[in-house]
Structure formats: C-alpha cells, structure tokens
C-alpha cells in the first residue's frame, strides 16, 4: 500500500489532482490508515497512471477519460459499472471563465472555489491557469480600468487566484538535478501574471524556483544568485521603460556569473535591444518546452 505522497511521486501527479479525481469521479477508493491517511493499492496506482496517460498524452479531458474508464471496466470490476455522472462535464473554458468572473465580482468565495475546483478536475492544471484563471484576471483588470469593477473586487479576485498558484507552486515535486531558477519583476513593475505562469511551468518540470514576484529591487539580486547558486534568472516586464535598467543589470550579472542563463518575457521586451534578443521568449508553452529542454541537455 502506498501513501498519497508516494503515489504522487511515483506517477508525477500532484496530490491535489489525485484527491480531485477521487472525490469527484470515485475512480479510486483508498483505505484509511489508523491515523486517517489514504493508502492506495497497486491496482489503484495503475488506474491513476492510465488516467494520466489519457489526459496528458492523448489530450483527453478528465471527464472523458473517466467515462472511457467506466465503459472499458479498466478498474478491474467484474461487472460493468454504472457510469459516473460527470458534473459540469459539458462546461468548456469560456463557460467556466464567465461563471467564475461573475462569482468573483460578487465576492462569493465558496462558489468561486467550487468553480475553480471543478476546472481543475476537468482539465490539466496548467490549462486551467492559462485558459481560465489568467483570462478571468485580465477581464477583471480591463473592467477595473473602465470603472466597472471596484478595487476591492479586483483585490479579492487576485488574491483568491494567487492562493491557487501558491498551492500548486508548493506541492509540485522538486528534482534536485535540474537547474535552479530565480524569477522576478523589477521595481516599478507590478504585473506578475506572465511571470507566475512561466514559473509554474518550470515548477511542473521539476525545477526549484525562488519566486520574488513584482516590484523587486535589483541591488541585492547578485548576492542572492551567488548564495543560492542560481542557474537561471527569469525576468518579466510589461512596461518597456524598464528595458534599459534590465539591460544594464543583465550585463552586470553576466560579468559576475558567466554560466548563469537569463530568460526574459513580457510585452515590455517587444522591441528588444540586440544585446538581450537571444534571451527573450514569447508567450508560447511549446517554445518554453523547447527552450527548457535545450538548457538541460
């Protein structure tokens, strides 16, 4: 029998995803130890592994994979099981985004969390951040600029979604042999969504990321790079006014740490100086994956 932490490590599935699949779809039924902890059998591990293959390798939604699981009886049941009702199985990214937007501006914590939980149970977690949570934040920000959303509503929404980012950021396993990252937005840059998404992508790959977030002063960063043995520095800006100071800082960093790699992203780097152009990545997860593979091989 295996603990949920061990199953997560063996299959590279976050524990929150295992719990969501278990609670919403009842695809596994772990027994409980005397201390109340979940314990999974080899058969249940095979079921979870199969679900992961369908969702990640074949691109199925989890609800579709569960339906196929029930049809095939792959869980090893002797008789054909009754298909599990898929709550919200017909919801798409747009519908969930619209419902979540309304729930957030109404300051409804319970309903907002339920919708986000549903999204994570239906789609791979990175897709939820890219196709639901981030568009909702952008929409709320745009409506705030128009005067249709208050500061309180914007802060409530941002903090609730940031909690989800922090949760996944914390639980994803770290593989010590992979490069160690430092991620920040410079002082004066408050938009961190792009940096968060890139950092989450890197964490999902197994790298450790020291995430400093927005409005980070540059003066102490070289010391951090030295003490923490940082391999890669990720910087994000939306305002091109920061490019000059970033260019100077990058040059200083490279003089002191010749092997440290720099990666840059955000609209602020749209018209990049030649000295930085090789370090800029677009908002494209395929390009991120290709770049990440290039630095670890």
């Amino acid at each position: 029998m295996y603990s949920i932490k061990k199953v997560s490590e063996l299959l590279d599935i976050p524990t929150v995803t295992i719990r969501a699949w278990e609670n919403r779809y009842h695809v596994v039924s772990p027994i409980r130890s005397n201390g109340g902890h979940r314990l999974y059998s080899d058969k249940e591990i095979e079921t979870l592994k199969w679900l992961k293959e369908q969702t990640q390798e074949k691109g199925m939604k989890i609800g579709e994979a569960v339906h196929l699981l029930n049809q095939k009886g792959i869980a090893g049941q002797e008789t054909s099981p009754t298909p599990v009702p898929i709550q919200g199985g017909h919801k798409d990214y747009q519908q969930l985004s619209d419902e979540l937007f309304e729930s957030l501006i109404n300051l409804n914590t319970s309903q907002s969390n339920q919708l986000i939980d549903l999204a994570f149970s239906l789609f791979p977690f990175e897709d939820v951040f890219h196709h639901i949570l981030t568009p909702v934040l952008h929409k709320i920000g745009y409506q705030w600029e128009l005067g249709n959303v208050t500061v309180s509503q914007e802060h409530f929404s941002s903090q609730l979604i940031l909690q989800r980012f922090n949760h996944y950021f914390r639980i994803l396993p770290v593989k010590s042999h992979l490069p160690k990252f430092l991620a920040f937005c410079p002082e004066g840059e408050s938009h961190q969504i792009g940096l968060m998404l890139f950092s989450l992508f890197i964490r999902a790959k197994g790298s450790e990321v020291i995430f400093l977030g927005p409005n980070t002063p540059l003066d102490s960063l070289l010391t951090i790079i030295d003490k923490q043995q940082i391999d890669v520095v990720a910087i994000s800006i939306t305002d091109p006014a920061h490019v000059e100071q970033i260019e100077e800082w990058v040059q200083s960093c490279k003089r002191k740490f010749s092997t440290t790699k720099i990666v840059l992203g955000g609209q602020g780097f749209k018209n990049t100086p030649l000295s930085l152009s090789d370090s800029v990545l677009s908002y494209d997860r395929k390009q991120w994956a290709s770049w990440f593979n290039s630095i670890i091989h």
Side-chain angles (χ1 to χ4, degrees):
M1 304 299 286
Y2 304 86
S3 68
I4 191 169
K5 181 179 179 181
K6 186 62 178 178
V7 174
S8 176
E9 292 174 353
L10 289 171
L11 301 180
D12 197 20
I13 303 176
T15 56
V16 66
T17 300
I18 296 173
R19 291 193 187 98
W21 291 355
E22 174 189 334
N23 294 332
R24 185 166 297 279
Y25 301 110
H26 312 291
V27 291
V28 291
S29 300
I31 65 172
R32 297 279 180 165
S33 68
N34 292 336
H37 301 294
R38 290 173 170 85
L39 294 175
Y40 296 82
S41 67
D42 290 326
K43 183 183 292 185
E44 287 166 329
I45 288 177
E46 286 301 313
T47 298
L48 292 170
K49 180 181 178 182
W50 184 86
L51 288 171
K52 179 186 176 183
E53 290 172 350
Q54 305 311 302
T55 56
Q56 293 191 6
E57 297 177 13
K58 299 185 179 180
M60 275 190 187
K61 296 177 182 178
I62 180 61
E64 295 170 341
V66 170
H67 184 67
L68 183 60
L69 177 77
N70 287 325
Q71 285 186 325
K72 290 181 175 296
I74 198 167
Q77 295 158 327
E78 294 181 2
T79 58
S80 299
T82 302
V84 178
I86 302 173
Q87 181 180 353
H90 299 293
K91 293 183 185 291
D92 57 16
Y93 294 140
Q94 189 60 55
Q95 184 179 353
L96 280 168
S97 296
D98 291 343
E99 291 181 16
L100 180 58
F101 173 81
E102 293 298 328
S103 183
L104 288 169
I105 63 173
N106 287 325
L107 307 183
N108 191 327
T109 303
S110 177
Q111 186 178 27
S112 297
N113 279 318
Q114 287 177 11
L115 287 167
I116 294 173
D117 288 341
L118 175 60
F120 280 123
S121 71
L122 292 174
F123 307 108
F125 75 92
E126 286 187 273
D127 287 351
V128 174
F129 281 101
H130 281 268
H131 299 303
I132 297 176
L133 301 186
T134 296
V136 166
L137 283 180
H138 284 153
K139 183 177 180 180
I140 288 173
Y142 177 67
Q143 291 299 320
W144 173 78
E145 291 176 355
L146 295 178
N148 299 326
V149 167
T150 66
V151 172
S152 297
Q153 290 170 316
E154 191 277 331
H155 283 186
F156 170 82
S157 304
S158 297
Q159 289 304 310
L160 190 143
I161 290 176
L162 185 60
Q163 289 172 8
R164 293 306 182 110
F165 166 78
N166 289 333
H167 175 71
Y168 273 92
F169 207 76
R170 177 178 57 82
I171 66 171
L172 289 169
V174 172
K175 300 173 184 177
S176 59
H177 67 281
L178 292 176
K180 187 175 183 180
F181 284 68
L182 178 70
F184 69 90
C185 300
E187 196 167 17
E189 178 62 69
S190 59
H191 296 91
Q192 63 174 329
I193 296 176
L195 185 71
M196 287 169 50
L197 291 173
F198 181 74
S199 298
L200 189 66
F201 168 83
I202 296 300
R203 284 291 291 108
K205 291 293 185 182
S207 278
E208 180 180 356
V209 180
I210 298 177
F211 185 82
L212 301 182
N215 292 305
T216 302
L218 301 177
D219 50 12
S220 63
L221 294 181
L222 295 183
T223 302
I224 294 175
I225 292 170
D226 185 26
K227 289 186 176 180
Q228 295 294 326
Q229 297 182 314
I230 299 297
D231 300 298
V232 185
V233 177
I235 308 170
S236 176
I237 61 172
T238 59
D239 186 351
H242 298 298
V243 170
E244 185 176 348
Q245 67 166 336
I246 292 299
E247 184 178 20
E248 293 176 0
W249 184 87
V250 167
Q251 290 172 354
S252 298
C253 181
K254 288 183 175 180
R255 282 195 297 268
K256 189 169 183 179
F257 307 104
S258 59
T259 61
T260 299
K261 294 179 174 61
I262 306 292
V263 59
L264 309 172
Q267 287 297 313
F269 290 114
K270 190 173 183 179
N271 298 312
T272 314
L274 186 60
S275 63
L276 298 178
S277 59
D278 289 343
S279 300
V280 176
L281 289 182
S282 65
Y283 184 73
D284 182 338
R285 280 190 284 172
K286 289 184 179 179
Q287 187 185 19
W288 294 357
S290 177
W291 172 84
F292 185 81
N293 289 335
S294 73
I295 69 169
I296 63 174
H297 293 117

